Amino acid sequence: MGRTGGDPAPTYAERQFRVPSKATIRRPPIATAKTDSMKDLYRRLKAVGYERKFVRECVLPDWWSDDLAAVPANRALAELAIARHFGFSSADLRDPKRPLILPRFDNTRLKRSARVTVQQVAGTVVVARRVAELVAECTTDLPAFDGPALAAAARATMLRNHTYVNLESLLTYCWSHGIAVVRLARTPASCKMIAGLATFCGNRPVIVLGSGHDSPPWIAFHLAHELGHIMLEHVRDGGDLLVDQNLDRTGDGRLERNADSYACEVLSGESSPGFEPRYGLTGAKLARAALAYGESRGISPGTVVLIYGRSARRFPVVPGALRYLGQDAGAHELITGALRELLPLGDLPETTQRFLSGCAGLTD
């Protein structure tokens, strides 16, 4: 992250706005300090989905106190931090009577459930997009993205050093091929979560995963699906970002079906895999059958369990089988652990640290 040798131009992260330290911030006189100096700002932020708790814990410094905003220069610092991460103009934030409007979604394709409105997910998309931008800008040591790969080729590459294609091998493949992967651990409370996002930030492809599932096989499918959007060029450098609001049901539309097929082929070797044992199933029986089937075909047993649930439409038995296999938790830590190794927080500006720590779960 840091510069070495000579005096090259500073990196984006080094040019980022740095909030002054607690020791140098201007404090209002006790007689004039007001605890409601941020009230209008929190009210207007809440109207577009950003509650005070989220702003305080993910955007403003941990030492921030709202009475500091009684000094106009201090409030301007808070407004600038909020503007940088949410895309508002400082002028809009400064005017207490001006309603805030979320950035437009002109370059966003949102695949969502019919029961979810754009307004319900808009705040989450803004946060996810900002997380993607920061991760891309701050992981400058990654190799360049080496271009699209067929599912069979990607699978073969992963199997050179791994027994199965699973979440761990997918993460290794993505990072080593210049594709950044980050987990969206937190969003505003009033906004709907997304399952995943695929985009390019400059020439860096970035995948943001937002599912609440912590099972590695579940998240491996989500990651492989978003990888499919990148490899099939559903998203490109300079093009739209693509947001999947829900991946727990069969893909709707050509792009989603193609991304599903890519994911299945990467994970199993087949674009339309099927696995249907002939006997009655409990979680333990499905797990044992998946172990035998997976070992004989080079497929992760956890993936086999999900294939069964999806193809036979019998998802209720899936959680028990994954618990039996010890594959019901740990996905979140795998993703954030890989990111921590490539993105040491201590090298980043304070506002960037704060945002990524909260939103990407780096300090969970």
Side-chain angles (χ1 to χ4, degrees):
M1 304 295 175
R3 287 173 282 169
T4 58
D7 188 24
T11 65
Y12 178 90
E14 290 168 329
R15 297 196 308 269
Q16 277 278 292
F17 169 74
R18 294 177 184 270
V19 176
S21 68
K22 185 177 181 180
T24 60
I25 195 80
R26 294 181 59 190
R27 292 194 170 275
I30 295 175
T32 61
K34 296 181 180 180
T35 58
D36 63 352
S37 300
M38 295 278 285
K39 186 175 181 179
D40 74 276
L41 190 51
Y42 289 136
R43 173 180 53 78
R44 290 180 292 137
L45 286 168
K46 184 177 180 180
V48 292
Y50 300 122
E51 76 276 5
R52 178 180 180 274
K53 182 178 175 65
F54 182 80
V55 175
R56 285 295 307 271
E57 295 180 359
C58 294
V59 178
L60 299 176
D62 59 0
W63 46 261
W64 175 264
S65 175
D66 287 344
D67 63 356
L68 296 173
V71 175
N74 295 343
R75 163 136 172 172
L77 294 173
E79 291 167 352
L80 185 53
I82 293 167
R84 285 184 178 277
H85 292 313
F86 294 153
F88 302 118
S89 74
S90 294
D92 288 346
L93 294 168
R94 189 177 309 120
D95 186 345
K97 296 182 180 180
R98 187 177 298 181
L100 300 177
I101 301 174
L102 288 173
R104 292 172 60 89
F105 284 80
D106 293 340
N107 67 333
T108 301
R109 284 175 288 166
L110 175 60
K111 307 296 182 181
R112 58 186 171 83
S113 165
R115 292 174 292 181
V116 176
T117 67
V118 172
Q119 290 73 24
Q120 287 175 312
V121 78
T124 298
V125 174
V126 170
V127 171
R129 182 166 54 188
R130 182 59 176 158
V131 166
E133 290 169 351
L134 288 174
V135 168
E137 289 157 358
C138 298
T139 51
T140 55
D141 294 335
L142 281 187
F145 175 53
D146 51 8
L150 296 174
R155 176 176 170 80
T157 299
M158 293 180 224
L159 290 177
R160 287 175 194 158
N161 298 306
H162 297 85
T163 303
Y164 305 119
V165 173
N166 54 18
L167 182 58
E168 182 179 3
S169 57
L170 277 163
L171 287 168
T172 300
Y173 177 87
C174 287
W175 284 109
S176 64
H177 285 74
I179 303 170
V181 181
V182 59
R183 178 173 75 95
L184 189 60
R186 182 175 178 182
T187 61
S190 63
C191 299
K192 295 286 188 182
M193 182 54 94
I194 61 173
L197 176 154
T199 188
F200 274 77
C201 297
N203 57 8
R204 173 74 61 205
V206 183
I207 293 171
V208 180
L209 299 171
S211 172
H213 288 299
D214 194 27
S215 164
W218 273 108
I219 300 305
F221 176 78
H222 286 202
L223 176 52
H225 177 98
E226 301 304 333
L227 180 63
H229 283 313
I230 291 169
M231 295 303 196
L232 296 171
E233 299 186 282
H234 299 165
V235 292
R236 301 170 184 245
D237 184 2
D240 295 347
L241 61 85
L242 197 153
V243 180
D244 291 304
Q245 194 270 324
N246 189 337
L247 288 177
D248 287 351
R249 51 183 71 182
T250 302
D252 181 20
R254 179 180 58 83
L255 296 186
E256 296 309 300
R257 290 193 297 272
N258 289 347
D260 278 352
S261 295
Y262 188 98
C264 288
E265 187 171 354
V266 164
L267 291 165
S268 72
E270 299 179 38
S271 60
S272 299
F275 171 63
E276 297 188 27
R278 297 179 179 178
Y279 44 79
L281 291 175
T282 62
K285 285 182 177 180
L286 174 57
R288 288 193 291 269
L291 277 167
Y293 186 91
E295 288 177 0
S296 68
R297 290 166 174 78
I299 307 172
S300 167
T303 296
V304 176
V305 167
L306 292 184
I307 290 171
Y308 173 79
R310 197 176 183 89
S311 60
R313 297 185 181 276
R314 291 204 60 200
F315 276 109
V317 75
V318 166
L322 292 175
R323 281 194 299 272
Y324 185 92
L325 293 170
Q327 289 287 299
D328 57 324
H332 294 168
E333 180 51 36
L334 281 173
I335 297 168
T336 53
L339 181 58
R340 284 190 199 102
E341 291 184 8
L342 295 157
L343 189 74
L345 282 179
D347 291 345
L348 305 180
E350 186 174 5
T351 53
T352 301
Q353 290 183 38
R354 184 73 163 166
F355 195 73
L356 290 179
S357 293
C359 297
L362 293 175
T363 55
D364 283 0

